[in-house]
């Protein structure tokens, strides 16, 4: 008997491998489905694999309310998922509030929050998300364009906690699967994916990066997308090791003030991560904290000539007095 088409088989293998690697076989999991090709292909693969692995599957469709027909789009996505044999399908409505990081970031934050809430209520072990290898390559390219460090260039993590203290994992089984495979899966299964007009809006930097990748493939040769995604995997290992070293150093230092002598024996890469840990623990917004902030703070150790304090996002101020470095609120 003939097996499934190659694209369908590839998506199923990716889901099965992910469930096995993360110990999620037999667990209740959810799929976040927007109605686009990637998430519909993920829902289809999960609908086939999860029950056969002894688990239970639900699908969550998030209606952001950002377009006039968003309710219809969400309803159509939900109906296609039910057509795949998934009986537990829920449409979640969210209100997107832009707090200054842009509409794309605001929509993502609102979406992840409501998905996490629903997963925790239902005691799901994980929420599966449909990011592909192309998304990973775009993320790395954006990091390169911004001059970001290893953590940013490490791209999208395959799995992480939904939020601190949550038992729910956010899992991306398709980070090694090209977008062409998810699109072919939808064609092979007769699914009708929704084309988000935001994916063609060049106001978003991600859309511009997406259009650059085919040019790089043409000019530098095939395999650029795969190479960028592979680089993310390698850098993630390095970034994880440096982050662990920074956490160990932070615990050894204790709470500020810190003696300069306790910082000079750290490598620059570890020390900058210690500064970041200090800032985030003290309330600095992660999206506003830049490499330049960390470099300037680090100069209080490496190039101190009596310069004044360094201001950080979140109303924080790092300053050096003699051989001690302290953190205060800007109003102090």
């Amino acid at each position: 008997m003939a097996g499934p088409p190659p694209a369908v088989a590839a998506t199923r293998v990716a889901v099965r491998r992910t469930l096995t690697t993360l110990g999620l076989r037999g667990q209740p999991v959810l799929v976040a489905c927007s109605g686009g090709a990637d998430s519909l292909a993920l829902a289809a693969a999960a609908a086939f694999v999860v029950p056969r692995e002894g688990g239970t599957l639900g699908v969550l469709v998030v209606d952001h309310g950002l377009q006039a027909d968003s309710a219809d789009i969400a309803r159509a996505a939900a109906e296609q998922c039910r057509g795949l044999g998934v009986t537990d399908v829920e449409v979640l409505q969210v209100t997107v509030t832009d707090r200054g990081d842009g509409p794309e970031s605001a929509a993502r934050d609102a979406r992840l929050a409501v998905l996490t809430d629903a997963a925790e209520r239902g005691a799901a072990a994980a929420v599966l998300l449909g990011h592909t290898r192309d998304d990973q390559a775009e993320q790395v390219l954006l990091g390169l364009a911004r001059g970001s460090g290893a953590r940013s260039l490490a791209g999208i993590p395959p799995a992480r906690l939904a939020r601190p203290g949550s038992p729910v994992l956010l899992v991306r089984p398709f980070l090694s699967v090209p977008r062409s495979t998810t699109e072919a899966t939808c064609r092979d299964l007769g699914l009708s994916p929704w084309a988000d007009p935001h994916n063609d809006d060049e106001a978003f930097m991600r859309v511009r990066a997406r259009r650059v990748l085919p040019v790089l493939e043409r000019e530098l040769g095939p395999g650029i997308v795969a190479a960028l995604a592979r680089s993310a995997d390698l850098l993630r290992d390095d970034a994880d090791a440096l982050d662990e070293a920074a956490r160990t150093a932070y615990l050894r230092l204790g709470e500020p003030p810190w003696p300069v002598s306790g910082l000079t024996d750290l490598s620059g890469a570890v020390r900058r991560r210690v500064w970041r840990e200090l800032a985030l623990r003290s309330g600095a917004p992660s999206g506003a904290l830049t490499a330049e902030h960390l470099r300037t703070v680090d100069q209080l150790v490496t190039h101190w000539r009596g310069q004044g304090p360094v201001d950080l996002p979140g109303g924080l101020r790092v300053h050096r007095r003699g051989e001690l470095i302290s953190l205060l609120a800007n109003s102090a």
Side-chain angles (χ1 to χ4, degrees), residues 275-291:
W275 297 131
R276 178 176 174 80
E277 184 77 7
L278 174 64
L280 294 179
R281 286 182 180 229
S282 303
S286 61
L289 195 62
T290 67

Side-chain angles (χ1 to χ4, degrees), residues 259-275:
V260 173
S261 60
L263 295 162
T264 53
D265 63 346
L266 302 175
S267 70
V270 171
R271 196 170 51 242
R272 285 189 293 274
R273 284 167 169 77
V274 169
W275 297 131

Side-chain angles (χ1 to χ4, degrees), residues 19-84:
L19 295 179
T20 300
T21 300
L22 296 177
L24 295 172
R25 294 176 64 184
Q27 299 293 312
V29 298
L30 300 170
V31 168
C33 183
S34 67
D38 301 338
S39 61
L40 271 180
L42 178 59
F48 181 86
V49 171
V50 171
R52 287 168 173 78
E53 298 293 333
T56 58
L57 178 68
V59 172
L60 301 175
V61 180
V62 178
D63 176 7
H64 299 85
L66 296 177
Q67 301 180 47
D69 56 351
S70 65
D72 293 334
I73 294 167
R75 191 178 305 111
E79 285 305 312
Q80 291 200 79
C81 291
R82 293 187 183 100
L84 294 167

Side-chain angles (χ1 to χ4, degrees), residues 2-14 177-178 180-182 184-186 188-189:
V8 175
T11 59
R12 293 174 179 176
V13 167
V177 175
S180 58
T181 297
T182 65
T185 294
C186 289
D188 291 337
L189 296 177

